[in-house]
Amino acid sequence: MIGHTWKRINARLMVATTRVLPFADAASEGLPLGQLLRLSLFQVSVGMATVLLLGTLNRVMIVELSVPALVVAAMIALPVLIAPFRALLGFRSDTYRSALGWKRIPYLWFGSLWQMGGLAVMPFALLVLSGQQAVGPTWAGEVLAAMAFLMTGLGLHMTQTAGLALASDRATDETRPRVVALLYVMFLLGMAVSAIVIGWLLRDFAPFTLVRVVQGAALVGIILNLIALWKQEKLAPMSRAERAAPRPQFRDAWADLMAGGTAGRLLAVVFLGTLAFNMQDVLLEPYGGEVLGLSVSATTVLTAVWAMGALAGFAIAGRALLRGANTYRMAGNGLLIGLAAFATVIFAAPMQAPTLFFCGAALIGLGAGLFAVSTLTAAMTLAAGGTAGNGLALGAWGAAQATAAGLAIAIGGGVRDLVNHLALSGTWGEALATPATGYSTVYHIEIAFLFVTLVILGPLVRHGVQGGRGAPGQGRLGLADFPT
């Protein structure tokens, strides 16, 4: 009787959760909803660290600690040095052989350690970087901050790649795209909640408050990841002979992945589209503070607004995906929304309209969410039918996205500094001698990149590719394929 009652309660909870959470119907017999939601906690920790790196810390360094925007952009972009190796990390987790039989858990665990270690030393490194230093060489701040950002970046990439691959392994062919999409919904929820909490904790900024908040985030992150990985991968002990057997070569698996036809063009779309959406990451909060006069707490909420917009994009894409929509057409819709979003942000400065600015941030999130879930769903099928594993396919997608994001941040900060230097010196006349000129230039460049991405995406939409391997040569990047 008790068992029957518990089953009924569990079934009702499943129905209620499915109605509330997008992609919650991704659960299957091999990956129940409870285990899936617990596994998704690693994305919450990654989202929290992302808020610190791309939101709070860049605002604090530029405005409160008076660190030049170019130095800030370079520090935040340092994890891009690790990003191209995500495909290799994913492949190594595909082929890893341990005595216990685990493949993904070791990478998820060590990624969590790197992420925690980087955040633990981060606030002290930033205080030294800002000039609050009593002893030691003058370059100590730059070196310590670079090490902290590199450690955190390595942890983020390793944790996310291994975690997504583990979820993909446990899902069925039918539910796999929705499982990964649900994990990214949790990533955005983690960003939104963390942005609100961190913004509230830093409402009265002080150096020691910064230390407590960032180190607290490091502790929370490692705890969430421990809960996430607990009993998620079955023990399958391997003999010494099995562990010593020759492993597949990375170049062979990569060649097999690229042989699918659509992989090269898809990765080009992911790279350029991410470049277009992410050049503003290091500038969105400083823009609100410097041009519109918003407080630290108000500008930190921008990250939450962006994340909620992206969450709405995931929900919209989820409905369309269940109806069999073309994933590339959805990606194109996301790019079109991005065009309107950046135009809205640009007009917020001359109109001095913070409300319009917040609307633009939400639209940027909406467009980026549609684009991300669409290209991710397409990437999930790249390994189908070949020897390339899920880790390699997801790693390739993640490498393209993370590399573009890092380069975009560096380019955005550099362009903003250069343009503002010329504009404020009076080179371009009195009308453009305002801090908004540099930011506006970056947003116009992003609009141009969105148009280029639409051009490259066109052949995939025209051929009706649904994210599969496609016919050989169908998706290769060539001038003859460009729409006229």
Side-chain angles (χ1 to χ4, degrees):
M1 182 69 180
I2 295 177
H4 180 68
T5 303
W6 172 249
K7 288 181 179 179
R8 289 178 58 188
I9 293 174
N10 189 48
R12 291 180 180 178
L13 287 174
M14 287 278 291
V15 172
T17 307
T18 300
R19 290 177 178 175
V20 173
L21 289 177
F23 295 98
D25 56 345
S28 61
E29 184 177 353
L31 184 59
L33 183 59
Q35 292 187 25
L36 175 58
L37 292 177
R38 183 163 59 83
L39 177 61
S40 69
L41 291 178
F42 81 87
Q43 285 285 67
V44 176
S45 76
V46 171
M48 179 173 56
T50 302
V51 165
L52 287 170
L53 291 181
L54 301 182
T56 305
L57 292 181
N58 86 73
R59 153 73 197 235
V60 166
M61 284 190 286
I62 291 176
V63 179
E64 274 69 34
L65 300 181
S66 301
V67 178
L70 183 60
V71 175
V72 174
M75 290 297 171
I76 296 176
L78 277 176
V80 76
L81 299 175
I82 308 297
F85 294 98
R86 283 185 66 148
L88 179 60
L89 289 172
F91 171 75
R92 293 292 295 175
S93 70
D94 284 335
T95 60
Y96 184 73
R97 296 169 183 170
S98 67
L100 298 176
W102 284 338
K103 297 194 302 181
R104 316 295 186 185
I105 292 297
Y107 284 84
L108 188 55
W109 167 242
F110 283 104
S112 303
L113 290 179
W114 280 106
Q115 179 179 319
M116 181 191 70
L119 290 177
V121 302
M122 182 79 70
F124 300 108
L126 296 184
L127 292 177
V128 174
L129 179 65
S130 67
Q132 302 182 37
Q133 175 183 356
V135 296
T138 56
W139 44 260
E142 286 78 3
V143 173
L144 291 173
M147 291 176 60
F149 275 99
L150 281 174
M151 290 171 64
T152 307
L154 175 60
L156 289 176
H157 296 314
M158 189 181 296
T159 298
Q160 194 170 59
T161 301
L164 289 173
L166 175 58
S168 180
D169 290 342
R170 296 197 57 189
T172 64
D173 291 338
E174 180 183 1
T175 62
R176 187 171 291 119
R178 283 171 285 172
V179 165
V180 180
L182 174 60
L183 292 177
Y184 266 84
V185 168
M186 297 303 291
F187 170 72
L188 293 172
L189 285 175
M191 288 187 65
V193 173
S194 300
I196 294 173
V197 173
I198 292 172
W200 180 77
L201 292 174
L202 290 176
R203 64 191 185 281
D204 297 320
F205 177 82
F208 289 112
T209 302
L210 178 67
V211 172
R212 287 193 291 266
V213 170
V214 177
Q215 290 196 333
L219 179 61
V220 171
I222 193 68
I223 292 174
L224 289 176
N225 288 350
L226 278 172
I227 297 172
L229 61 83
W230 183 256
K231 292 186 177 181
Q232 291 287 0
E233 196 170 20
K234 292 183 178 179
L235 293 174
M238 302 178 66
S239 66
R240 183 173 298 178
E242 289 175 321
R243 298 199 304 272
R247 299 182 184 182
Q249 296 295 315
F250 175 75
R251 61 177 178 270
D252 296 333
W254 182 260
D256 178 74
L257 181 68
M258 292 295 109
T262 63
R265 182 173 287 272
L266 174 61
L267 294 180
V269 167
V270 172
F271 182 87
L272 289 173
T274 304
L275 195 68
F277 276 112
N278 286 73
M279 285 179 66
Q280 51 79 34
D281 274 356
V282 74
L283 302 177
L284 194 62
E285 293 195 23
Y287 180 85
E290 188 174 0
V291 177
L292 298 177
L294 301 177
S295 64
V296 175
S297 180
T299 55
T300 301
V301 173
L302 279 171
T303 305
V305 171
W306 176 92
M308 295 308 295
L311 181 60
F314 271 66
I316 294 171
R319 285 179 174 271
L321 184 64
L322 291 175
R323 297 172 181 173
N326 186 311
T327 54
Y328 296 115
R329 190 174 298 277
M330 284 194 294
N333 291 337
L335 296 173
L336 293 175
I337 292 174
L339 294 174
F342 289 121
T344 301
V345 171
I346 290 171
F347 281 110
M351 297 178 65
Q352 283 296 299
T355 302
L356 194 62
F357 180 50
F358 278 91
C359 290
L363 286 175
I364 292 174
L366 177 62
L370 276 174
F371 179 79
V373 72
S374 302
T375 56
L376 178 60
T377 302
M380 288 304 304
T381 60
L382 289 179
T387 60
N390 291 319
L392 176 58
L394 287 169
W397 179 87
Q401 186 193 52
T403 302
L407 289 175
I409 291 169
I411 294 171
V415 170
R416 176 262 187 188
D417 274 4
L418 177 61
V419 172
N420 270 0
H421 173 74
L422 295 173
L424 295 177
S425 66
T427 304
W428 295 337
E430 184 179 351
L432 295 178
T434 66
T437 303
Y439 295 101
S440 179
T441 301
V442 173
Y443 295 135
H444 280 89
I445 294 174
E446 288 181 294
I447 290 175
F449 273 119
L450 288 175
F451 278 114
V452 173
T453 308
L454 283 168
V455 171
I456 298 176
L457 180 66
L460 295 178
V461 178
R462 186 177 63 208
H463 290 301
V465 180
Q466 297 296 324
R469 292 172 68 85
Q474 189 180 65
R476 290 194 175 92
L477 184 57
L479 292 176
D481 292 328
F482 278 35
T484 57

